[in-house]
Amino acid sequence: DVKVTQSSRYLVKRTGEKVFLECVQDMDHENMFWYRQDPGLGLRLIYFSYDVKMKEKGDIPEGYSVSREKKERFSLILESASTNQTSMYLCASSLQGGGEQYFGPGTRLTVT
Amino acid sequence: LAKTTQPISMDSYEGQEVNITCSHNNIATNDYITWYQQFPSQGPRFIIQGYKTKVTNEVASLFIPADRKSSTLSLPRVSLSDTAVYYCLVGDAPVSGGYNKLIFGAGTRLAVHP
């Protein structure tokens, strides 16, 4: 079974802090994704990566950056956390394309 | 920008067939349609994917008409454990360079009653 793990299930940070969310997958997948999930809005793509050191902006990249130094690890960085970034963050990976993705359990981030 | 539309919620009873429809009028030629299931405190789980006509696996069927502007996820004989949120996804990220799109619907909350 594909396993996607995220570094924290719950995280509380203060406004202005730099926040790192880590994601690791163990199936040698080429593609990795970061989403945020908000009530009534579904999942929205922040960034994805199709190879090591390669990244592409999704629909809502503002206020975020990513890093992929190794194939199995994809990090989401909030440069200066703001209260409107309070959300559930989901990481996913896929072998090909973006259809069949495998998701981690999510990190619920609260920015106060 | 492409948009997918799903019913907010549905109710059913154990043993019934449930059909959840997703509307995606602006689907592009190379877009796939994928459905996910999500339980509370978990990430979404892949159910089924299709491009056109009908696809069936051990848990669901996916019906896509010729114009591909909608799709219907069919769950046969649901049980209480099928109570979850179901999302449709339209699009397919490219393998290299240039974002295409991956558009999730807002989700349909299915409640299965005894």
Side-chain angles (χ1 to χ4, degrees):
Chain A
D1 271 356
V2 177
K3 192 165 184 186
V4 178
T5 57
Q6 297 184 228
S7 50
S8 306
R9 292 301 303 269
Y10 300 94
L11 209 53
V12 180
K13 295 292 182 181
R14 294 194 180 276
T15 301
E17 279 193 81
K18 191 168 186 176
V19 181
F20 293 87
L21 302 181
E22 305 285 339
C23 175
V24 177
Q25 51 98 0
D26 67 356
M27 281 303 291
D28 203 35
H29 282 175
E30 301 294 331
N31 306 303
M32 296 188 75
F33 309 83
W34 274 107
Y35 295 89
R36 63 176 286 175
Q37 183 174 32
D38 300 288
L41 296 178
L43 285 79
R44 293 179 291 166
L45 183 65
I46 304 171
Y47 269 97
F48 75 93
S49 168
Y50 53 89
D51 201 352
V52 175
K53 296 189 186 293
M54 307 304 289
K55 61 187 179 185
E56 289 287 344
K57 294 180 180 179
D59 295 311
I60 51 166
E62 296 78 18
Y64 304 94
S65 62
V66 290
S67 172
R68 194 169 180 200
E69 297 297 320
K70 293 184 178 181
K71 191 174 186 179
E72 68 271 18
R73 188 179 298 270
F74 192 34
S75 302
L76 179 69
I77 304 155
L78 286 66
E79 298 290 344
S80 177
S82 64
T83 55
N84 63 12
Q85 291 178 311
T86 291
S87 186
M88 171 68 81
Y89 289 88
L90 289 160
C91 174
S93 71
S94 74
L95 182 60
Q96 293 179 343
E100 187 172 351
Q101 297 178 43
Y102 294 84
F103 283 82
T107 296
R108 185 166 294 282
L109 173 67
T110 302
V111 182
T112 62
Chain B
L1 187 64
K3 184 181 168 85
T4 60
T5 305
Q6 310 175 226
I8 293 173
S9 64
M10 295 181 70
D11 288 276
S12 184
Y13 292 90
E14 285 190 289
Q16 290 189 334
E17 178 184 73
V18 171
N19 296 310
I20 306 173
T21 296
C22 181
S23 170
H24 28 79
N25 290 324
N26 295 331
I27 190 167
T29 303
N30 58 346
D31 286 343
Y32 281 78
I33 299 156
T34 314
W35 283 82
Y36 288 83
Q37 176 191 55
Q38 187 177 28
F39 297 111
S41 302
Q42 295 185 22
R45 185 174 67 121
F46 171 86
I47 301 174
I48 196 166
Q49 183 182 61
Y51 184 79
K52 61 181 179 181
T53 63
K54 178 183 174 182
V55 179
T56 297
N57 62 22
E58 62 276 8
V59 298
S61 295
L62 177 59
F63 298 91
I64 304 169
D67 66 7
R68 303 199 331 121
K69 292 186 177 183
S70 66
S71 58
T72 299
L73 174 72
S74 181
L75 304 172
R77 297 179 299 282
V78 294
S79 64
L80 296 176
S81 63
D82 292 316
T83 293
V85 179
Y86 293 82
Y87 292 94
C88 70
L89 165 64
V90 173
D92 192 25
V95 296
S96 64
Y99 175 50
N100 185 2
K101 67 176 186 286
L102 290 169
I103 306 296
F104 275 89
T108 298
R109 190 172 297 275
L110 172 65
V112 179
H113 305 281

